[in-house]
Amino acid sequence: MPTLAELNAASASAFTDLLDGVYEHSRWIAARTWAARPFATLAALKAALVQTVRQASRDEQLGLIRAHPELAGKAAVAGQLTAESTDEQSRAGLSHCTPDEFARINALNAEYTARFGWPFILAVRGPRGAGLSRAQIIATLERRTDNPPDFEFAEALRQIHRIAELRLNDKFGFVPEQGNRVWDWCEHLATHSEPAWKERGELTTTYLTDAHRAAAAEIAATMRECGFDTVDIDAVGNVVGVYPGSDPAAPRLLTGSHYDTVRNAGKYDGRIGHFIPMACVRAMHRAGRRLPFGLEVVAFAEEEGQRYKATFLGSGALTGAFNPAWLDQQDRDGISMRDAMRHAGLPADLPAIAALRRDAARYLGFVEVHIEQGPVLGALDLPLGIVTSINASVRCVGEIIGMASHAGTTPMNARRDAACAAAELALFLERRAAADGDSVGTVGLLEVPGGSINVVPGRCRFSLDIRAPNNAQRDAVLADTRTELAAICARRKLRFTLEQTMREQAATSDPALQQHWERSVAALGLPLHHLPSGAGHDAMMLHTVMPQAMLFVRGENAGISHNPLESSTADDLDLACAAFQHLLDTLAAS
Amino acid sequence: MPTLAELNAASASAFTDLLDGVYEHSRWIAARTWAARPFATLAALKAALVQTVRQASRDEQLGLIRAHPELAGKAAVAGQLTAESTDEQSRAGLSHCTPDEFARINALNAEYTARFGWPFILAVRGPRGAGLSRAQIIATLERRTDNPPDFEFAEALRQIHRIAELRLNDKFGFVPEQGNRVWDWCEHLATHSEPAWKERGELTTTYLTDAHRAAAAEIAATMRECGFDTVDIDAVGNVVGVYPGSDPAAPRLLTGSHYDTVRNAGKYDGRIGHFIPMACVRAMHRAGRRLPFGLEVVAFAEEEGQRYKATFLGSGALTGAFNPAWLDQQDRDGISMRDAMRHAGLPADLPAIAALRRDAARYLGFVEVHIEQGPVLGALDLPLGIVTSINASVRCVGEIIGMASHAGTTPMNARRDAACAAAELALFLERRAAADGDSVGTVGLLEVPGGSINVVPGRCRFSLDIRAPNNAQRDAVLADTRTELAAICARRKLRFTLEQTMREQAATSDPALQQHWERSVAALGLPLHHLPSGAGHDAMMLHTVMPQAMLFVRGENAGISHNPLESSTADDLDLACAAFQHLLDTLAAS
């Protein structure tokens, strides 16, 4: 088994030989990467190999893809696979397909290859490094055959890099132990799902349901097992673990994220934000190590606003943002939040909730690790990203009112077509946001209510969702969009309504804390990439009272989130654990 | 009581005096119209006065509008109205408002005036010349307050012209007797409505329902009363009246339209197409007059395709287009067309239906009078229009498939937004159709299925409805739209589906028959205006076997149709009767 030191010291040809088999039949990748030595970490080596492929021509990339065998294909049957492929396909049980499964995979392979012109490639050892089931493989093959070709081309390369990552781990004897641990915790926590969803194998854990309480109990138990000195469930259901520092008077570092979920959720959204710090505490505790400052990890009970319209309830309770009126809100079944709290054994008592408010002077700040929930890091093949700001956002719903008329008998110059006006608006917002740096603008709702093929639309409903790195940019995009809407309607002689339904301020990362994240990522040998957070996070709430900075972990499957396809890998989670430990270490040193 | 001859012979000031009070406090209109003498008909005088107002400046038009009193306003209460206004408001019972009605009208008047800057004007004597009810007046005031200002400005002028028309009728002792008759027939026929709709005061008469059969019986009885020699209900439910000519061997003229309706329909769509010829037959019969050729008037049983998907069934039966498979079609209640026919006393027998096919050699051709169902004639203040062609049409439904993603975290350059693509398509079709003469193109259905404010649309459904004066133009617009759709999707990396659901060939008017209509309209002293029909009509079916040409009658309320607001006036219907009689006379002479 080679070491990184041997690799760094190797000649070009020895280097290429050492990495033979990492990228299937494609020694040119290792050969071209040799010049980038030395590699401080295995992660740095992986990143350099990825970079070589990114810089190759499209024909070379296509050649790399086509160098891979079909899954359970003729080469496998004929015993013509590389040793690595044989091992991987056999771990996934592909050598034990039933005749039906074999026929299905072959038919899907043929359809896929006919559509794209290259073989279907999947890291069959999966995100945790264990073999995917044959059913999972077939489902993925079915799903990915629907992808647009350019998207699937990129996905094939991502799978190849993942295969290479697992082969490199084997080659260098590396096991992402912390990542596996966090992965397993996420997996087990996801077994607590509300009955109707659990039946379908889906994850839904909304505020103070039985599944939610079971999840809280499990997090608390895991915290105790990690070695936190105190573990409590507070008056709103937050699970709070404290790992005191060597100086009890020193300000603590606050971290965490939420454990509630949306309906039919992914397993990583929120949850890795407490599990990653917990893995670090577990390691420090086992090493008998204390930081100079205390670490307070909070698994927030509520962030998603699913059961009650009370988004960010968990983190809001720490900043005094709990709205007393929420206690009287009812869920779909008519159960008030007050009753739900009592049922969960919480006091449902306003003074007790108010007492959760943290004194910012007693904290160094708040850091939060979160899955990206977007495609940026995946598209760049980067496992971690530095969050510069949680974007300011505003949402509106509106309606354009024209005049419905006969599609055959109303001349083009006599129309008051509400849908064409909405079309102009959607394209304006798209252009305006694209011209505004990191801002985004979306018309997500668009509908001609009660429309007919043969009727000129008299009404069109739409929504606006605008997010920008700072409040001023957000406000300018909205103002321009509203001005354009008015101009469109004036020109087309239409009326409109526009109602604002949500508005959140930007939360710019604290420069000092952000710099700690940057140092941690750089220390892992990874390229730095800065990006804003387009989604809201608990850090937004803490931002109102203390400095904060977030770290993003790449999401698989183009960053899809709020969906069972949301995923991460044990390797990425392991890097996030390492980055978090680095952050603790540099904070301790400073 | 003055005569038209006296008016034509009058000096400018005498002319203006004679027409005093026709346009409220606005003698300039008569004064400027004097130069246009002589007027062959009262209709020509009305048209000339309208033309004067159309040629006036916007300020003069606004002055004309503001010269009118508020309905039931302070001037009425103080007895300061013109004699004409006092008479009209009193006929509408506005002098007998309850205190609540008075308060409601005053509040609405105030709201209307505040919105538009001029008083609400309504021809309270209504389309039949009788007074509108106070409830109708209040409902109209409410509805029109929602209009866009430029639209309402034009509507106010249209109401003023209608008021002037009624005042001129009084001044010259003119009663539109044939128009009143057709109006009354339409009104009474509309009492036959299906029970659920009738309860709500709405008109729905779909194929072979009890209401439909009662309507057929009433049309047949009216035909007999008019003096048709033979009246039959044929094997598909068409009501056929024959008024033979003096030469039994001469080819007949075929005319008519449909008596079935859409759901919650207007009272004029289709029905005036048989009632107007019937009124002419009634007059000829009473005068003991025969044409040299026979006149065959058919009230078609089915055109709208509401109960069964068998559009143009009635007229199609005359051209051999009855589809035998239709007999097995079921309505919403599971009743087959065969059973519905038997229940209606029809033979439900294919040979009997096939026997309805007409031998084109035995006909001069087919003419059809129809309400415009569009805004063109109303916008031009013309009661009648010459149809040049029933437009070719094509309908498609489609879907653009992109990729749903998080509206906050997906950068603008990483989106596959199906709604923005559909927006581009809608605007392309709008531009392309507008640049194509009389063609029209509509995206009537537009929807992001299951869309959310915070999700980039992954799918967008849409429809296309394209109509053009000839098949080649229609096909070119569709081909260009499809090419653009493919280009949009290629550029945005999306997929799409596009399925054609309907395609109808253009039916160009027969030049000789069209010329007869032109001569008839010109003989009434009315300006000629040519327009295509954007909607399909029974003439489309007859077009496949014989020459055809249509005449359009202006629709009130911007030409709205398939709606209870669809309306005509007794005066316009009277002109249509006169035009039809002229057509018969010129055909007889030729």
Side-chain angles (χ1 to χ4, degrees):
Chain A
M1 195 168 285
T3 65
L4 212 51
E6 284 164 23
L7 194 75
N8 284 331
S11 69
S13 68
F15 181 92
T16 305
D17 287 346
L18 277 168
L19 295 180
D20 191 41
V22 170
Y23 283 90
E24 191 93 356
H25 298 306
S26 302
R27 289 169 58 88
W28 60 270
I29 298 169
R32 286 187 202 171
T33 308
W34 175 74
R37 288 162 313 138
F39 304 105
T41 62
L42 186 57
L45 169 62
K46 292 172 182 173
L49 291 164
V50 166
Q51 195 56 22
T52 297
V53 174
R54 290 180 66 86
Q55 285 169 351
S57 71
R58 195 185 178 280
D59 279 353
E60 289 171 326
Q61 293 171 340
L62 184 59
L64 169 62
I65 294 173
R66 288 187 171 150
H68 285 72
E70 267 193 351
L71 276 182
K74 284 183 196 136
V77 173
Q80 292 163 350
L81 297 185
T82 60
E84 292 83 356
S85 282
T86 304
D87 174 56
E88 288 154 2
Q89 298 206 14
S90 126
R91 286 205 209 191
L94 285 174
S95 42
H96 296 93
C97 280
T98 66
D100 279 358
E101 285 168 341
F102 189 76
R104 180 74 186 132
I105 290 177
N106 267 2
L108 285 168
N109 267 330
E111 186 188 345
Y112 180 98
T113 308
R115 176 154 152 72
F116 298 113
W118 59 76
F120 173 72
I121 301 172
L122 175 65
V124 290
R125 281 173 58 198
R128 168 64 162 90
L132 296 180
S133 72
R134 295 194 295 268
Q136 283 174 314
I137 291 168
I138 289 171
T140 306
L141 189 37
E142 288 170 340
R143 174 168 57 79
R144 280 177 43 193
T145 301
D146 267 346
N147 277 339
D150 65 315
F151 183 92
E152 186 53 24
F153 187 85
E155 180 64 21
L157 291 176
R158 281 192 290 271
Q159 293 294 329
I160 288 169
H161 293 313
R162 175 64 184 155
I163 293 168
E165 173 160 69
L166 291 161
R167 290 177 180 178
L168 282 166
N169 288 354
D170 289 351
K171 195 176 280 281
F172 287 89
F174 172 74
V175 177
E177 284 182 13
Q178 290 282 67
N180 283 343
R181 183 165 292 118
V182 171
W183 174 275
D184 293 342
W185 284 341
C186 287
E187 200 66 20
H188 199 269
L189 193 64
T191 61
H192 304 293
S193 179
E194 297 170 27
W197 305 87
K198 185 162 185 160
E199 265 176 32
R200 294 195 292 268
E202 292 170 353
L203 171 59
T204 298
T205 309
T206 66
Y207 189 46
L208 297 185
T209 56
D210 290 350
H212 184 269
R213 293 165 59 206
E218 178 165 317
I219 295 166
T222 308
M223 279 183 174
R224 286 188 200 99
E225 190 269 332
C226 286
F228 282 82
D229 293 59
T230 63
V231 177
D232 291 298
I233 296 183
D234 75 14
V236 296
N238 296 328
V239 188
V240 184
V242 177
Y243 189 66
S246 51
D247 175 4
R252 288 177 181 169
L253 180 66
L254 190 64
T255 188
S257 191
H258 61 99
Y259 66 91
D260 70 320
T261 74
V262 296
R263 297 188 169 84
N264 197 16
K267 300 171 184 170
Y268 307 92
D269 178 2
R271 295 165 169 209
I272 65 169
H274 35 90
F275 282 146
I276 285 168
M278 284 162 64
C280 292
V281 166
R282 184 179 183 280
M284 289 190 290
H285 176 71
R286 270 155 184 66
R289 183 175 167 212
R290 290 277 166 188
L291 296 163
F293 52 87
L295 181 62
E296 184 174 332
V297 180
V298 187
F300 296 113
E302 207 294 331
E303 190 256 19
E304 299 283 10
Q306 298 283 314
R307 184 173 179 191
Y308 299 99
K309 293 291 155 226
T311 313
F312 301 111
L313 181 152
S315 47
L318 272 60
T319 69
F322 187 92
N323 178 350
W326 286 343
L327 288 179
D328 296 314
Q329 260 199 51
Q330 298 192 347
D331 71 4
R332 294 174 183 184
D333 299 321
I335 299 168
S336 72
M337 187 187 289
R338 179 178 288 104
D339 288 344
M341 283 181 159
R342 285 181 183 150
H343 177 74
L346 303 180
D349 173 60
L350 286 173
I353 295 170
L356 302 181
R357 183 169 185 163
R358 298 298 196 268
D359 174 4
R362 301 187 53 198
Y363 290 89
L364 292 169
F366 179 77
V367 292
E368 180 176 357
V369 183
H370 206 282
I371 193 160
E372 183 199 340
Q373 303 185 281
V376 175
L377 295 175
L380 296 170
D381 292 311
L382 297 175
L384 302 176
I386 309 294
V387 177
T388 52
S389 171
I390 302 174
N391 277 349
S393 65
V394 62
R395 291 184 189 170
C396 302
V397 292
E399 183 166 12
I400 297 175
I401 302 105
M403 203 171 277
S405 60
H406 192 298
T409 64
T410 314
M412 297 310 288
N413 64 9
R415 293 176 172 219
R416 294 169 193 256
D417 186 327
C420 281
E424 280 196 59
L425 183 72
L427 295 174
F428 173 84
L429 179 58
E430 188 186 44
R431 281 193 307 275
R432 177 67 180 81
D436 200 53
D438 283 328
S439 297
V440 289
T442 308
V443 173
L445 300 174
L446 184 66
E447 190 199 1
V448 175
S452 299
I453 288 191
N454 59 342
V455 176
V456 178
R459 296 195 298 148
C460 191
R461 294 194 194 127
F462 64 91
S463 62
L464 304 176
D465 180 312
I466 295 168
R467 317 208 190 186
N470 58 64
N471 301 342
Q473 267 178 278
R474 170 200 62 192
D475 294 343
V477 174
L478 177 61
D480 288 358
T481 304
R482 176 184 268 282
T483 300
E484 181 69 14
L485 173 58
I488 293 166
C489 289
R491 176 163 37 77
R492 291 178 174 269
K493 295 174 184 160
L494 311 168
R495 291 184 295 133
F496 70 90
T497 62
L498 191 65
E499 182 198 348
Q500 190 174 300
T501 58
M502 198 266 269
R503 186 180 196 84
E504 296 283 357
Q505 306 300 347
T508 309
S509 299
D510 174 68
L513 284 176
Q514 180 181 320
Q515 204 176 44
H516 280 292
W517 281 128
E518 288 163 0
R519 286 188 194 143
S520 301
V521 172
L524 297 174
L526 292 174
L528 287 188
H529 182 75
H530 295 87
L531 72 170
S533 169
H537 294 292
D538 291 305
M540 273 167 65
M541 298 307 297
L542 278 307
H543 181 84
T544 60
V545 297
M546 63 179 76
Q548 61 78 25
M550 294 185 69
L551 179 74
F552 272 171
V553 181
R554 158 173 64 186
E556 303 294 294
N557 301 318
I560 193 169
S561 185
H562 289 188
N563 186 296
L565 287 174
E566 178 190 280
S567 189
S568 182
T569 64
D571 286 87
D572 285 0
L573 294 171
D574 198 75
L575 289 169
C577 289
F580 197 90
Q581 188 62 55
H582 265 286
L583 176 111
L584 295 176
D585 295 346
T586 58
L587 272 175
S590 69
Chain B
M1 197 168 278
T3 66
L4 212 50
E6 284 164 24
L7 194 76
N8 282 332
S11 69
S13 68
F15 182 92
T16 305
D17 286 346
L18 278 168
L19 295 180
D20 191 42
V22 170
Y23 283 90
E24 190 92 356
H25 300 304
S26 301
R27 290 170 59 89
W28 59 270
I29 299 169
R32 285 187 204 172
T33 308
W34 177 74
R37 289 162 311 135
F39 303 106
T41 62
L42 185 56
L45 169 62
K46 291 173 182 172
L49 291 164
V50 165
Q51 195 56 23
T52 297
V53 174
R54 290 179 66 86
Q55 285 170 351
S57 71
R58 194 185 182 280
D59 280 352
E60 289 171 326
Q61 293 172 339
L62 185 58
L64 168 61
I65 294 173
R66 288 187 172 152
H68 284 71
E70 267 194 351
L71 276 182
K74 282 182 198 135
V77 173
Q80 292 163 348
L81 298 185
T82 60
E84 292 83 356
S85 283
T86 303
D87 174 56
E88 288 154 3
Q89 298 207 13
S90 125
R91 287 206 210 190
L94 286 173
S95 42
H96 297 93
C97 280
T98 65
D100 278 358
E101 287 167 340
F102 188 75
R104 180 74 185 134
I105 291 176
N106 267 1
L108 286 168
N109 267 330
E111 187 188 345
Y112 180 99
T113 307
R115 176 154 152 73
F116 298 113
W118 59 78
F120 174 71
I121 300 172
L122 176 64
V124 289
R125 280 173 58 198
R128 169 63 161 91
L132 295 179
S133 72
R134 295 195 294 268
Q136 284 173 313
I137 291 168
I138 290 171
T140 306
L141 189 36
E142 287 170 342
R143 174 169 56 80
R144 280 177 42 194
T145 301
D146 267 347
N147 278 339
D150 65 316
F151 183 92
E152 187 54 24
F153 186 83
E155 181 64 21
L157 291 176
R158 281 193 290 271
Q159 293 294 328
I160 287 169
H161 293 313
R162 175 63 184 155
I163 292 167
E165 172 160 70
L166 291 161
R167 290 178 180 179
L168 282 166
N169 289 356
D170 289 350
K171 196 177 279 284
F172 288 88
F174 172 73
V175 177
E177 284 181 13
Q178 291 283 67
N180 281 343
R181 183 165 290 117
V182 171
W183 173 274
D184 292 342
W185 284 341
C186 289
E187 199 67 20
H188 200 268
L189 193 64
T191 60
H192 303 294
S193 179
E194 296 169 26
W197 304 87
K198 186 164 183 156
E199 264 176 36
R200 293 195 293 267
E202 292 170 353
L203 171 60
T204 298
T205 308
T206 66
Y207 190 46
L208 296 185
T209 56
D210 290 349
H212 185 268
R213 293 164 61 206
E218 178 164 315
I219 294 167
T222 307
M223 280 183 175
R224 287 188 198 98
E225 190 269 331
C226 286
F228 283 82
D229 292 59
T230 61
V231 177
D232 291 299
I233 295 183
D234 74 14
V236 297
N238 296 328
V239 187
V240 183
V242 178
Y243 188 65
S246 51
D247 175 4
R252 287 178 182 167
L253 180 67
L254 190 64
T255 189
S257 191
H258 61 97
Y259 67 91
D260 70 319
T261 73
V262 297
R263 297 189 170 85
N264 197 16
K267 300 169 184 171
Y268 307 92
D269 178 2
R271 296 166 167 208
I272 65 169
H274 35 88
F275 281 146
I276 285 167
M278 283 162 65
C280 292
V281 166
R282 184 178 182 280
M284 290 190 290
H285 176 71
R286 270 156 184 67
R289 183 176 167 210
R290 291 277 165 188
L291 297 163
F293 53 86
L295 181 63
E296 184 174 333
V297 180
V298 187
F300 296 113
E302 207 294 329
E303 190 255 19
E304 300 283 9
Q306 298 283 313
R307 184 173 177 190
Y308 298 99
K309 294 291 153 225
T311 313
F312 301 111
L313 181 152
S315 48
L318 272 62
T319 68
F322 187 91
N323 179 352
W326 286 344
L327 288 180
D328 296 315
Q329 260 199 51
Q330 297 191 348
D331 71 3
R332 293 175 183 182
D333 298 322
I335 299 169
S336 72
M337 188 187 288
R338 180 178 287 104
D339 289 343
M341 283 182 160
R342 285 180 183 150
H343 177 72
L346 303 179
D349 173 59
L350 286 174
I353 294 171
L356 302 181
R357 184 170 186 163
R358 297 300 195 269
D359 174 6
R362 301 188 53 201
Y363 289 89
L364 293 169
F366 179 76
V367 291
E368 181 176 357
V369 182
H370 205 284
I371 193 159
E372 183 201 339
Q373 303 186 281
V376 174
L377 296 176
L380 295 170
D381 291 311
L382 296 176
L384 302 176
I386 309 294
V387 178
T388 52
S389 171
I390 302 173
N391 277 349
S393 64
V394 63
R395 291 183 190 169
C396 302
V397 292
E399 184 166 11
I400 297 174
I401 302 105
M403 201 172 278
S405 61
H406 192 298
T409 63
T410 314
M412 297 310 288
N413 63 8
R415 295 177 172 219
R416 295 170 194 254
D417 186 327
C420 281
E424 280 197 59
L425 183 72
L427 295 174
F428 173 83
L429 178 58
E430 188 186 44
R431 280 194 307 275
R432 177 66 180 81
D436 201 53
D438 283 329
S439 298
V440 289
T442 307
V443 173
L445 300 174
L446 184 66
E447 190 199 359
V448 176
S452 299
I453 288 191
N454 59 342
V455 176
V456 178
R459 297 196 298 148
C460 191
R461 295 194 194 127
F462 63 92
S463 62
L464 304 176
D465 180 313
I466 295 168
R467 317 207 191 187
N470 58 64
N471 301 343
Q473 268 179 277
R474 171 201 60 192
D475 294 344
V477 175
L478 177 60
D480 288 358
T481 304
R482 177 185 267 284
T483 301
E484 181 69 15
L485 173 58
I488 292 166
C489 288
R491 177 163 35 80
R492 290 177 173 271
K493 296 175 182 156
L494 310 168
R495 291 185 295 133
F496 70 91
T497 63
L498 191 65
E499 181 198 350
Q500 189 175 300
T501 59
M502 197 268 269
R503 185 179 197 85
E504 297 283 357
Q505 306 296 78
T508 309
S509 298
D510 174 67
L513 284 176
Q514 181 181 318
Q515 204 175 44
H516 280 292
W517 280 128
E518 288 163 0
R519 286 187 194 143
S520 302
V521 172
L524 297 173
L526 293 174
L528 289 188
H529 182 75
H530 295 87
L531 73 170
S533 170
H537 295 293
D538 290 305
M540 274 167 63
M541 297 309 296
L542 278 307
H543 180 85
T544 60
V545 297
M546 63 178 77
Q548 60 78 26
M550 292 186 70
L551 178 74
F552 271 171
V553 180
R554 158 174 63 187
E556 303 294 293
N557 301 318
I560 192 168
S561 186
H562 289 188
N563 187 295
L565 285 175
E566 178 190 279
S567 189
S568 182
T569 64
D571 286 86
D572 285 0
L573 295 172
D574 199 75
L575 289 169
C577 289
F580 197 89
Q581 188 63 54
H582 265 287
L583 177 110
L584 295 176
D585 295 344
T586 58
L587 272 175
S590 70

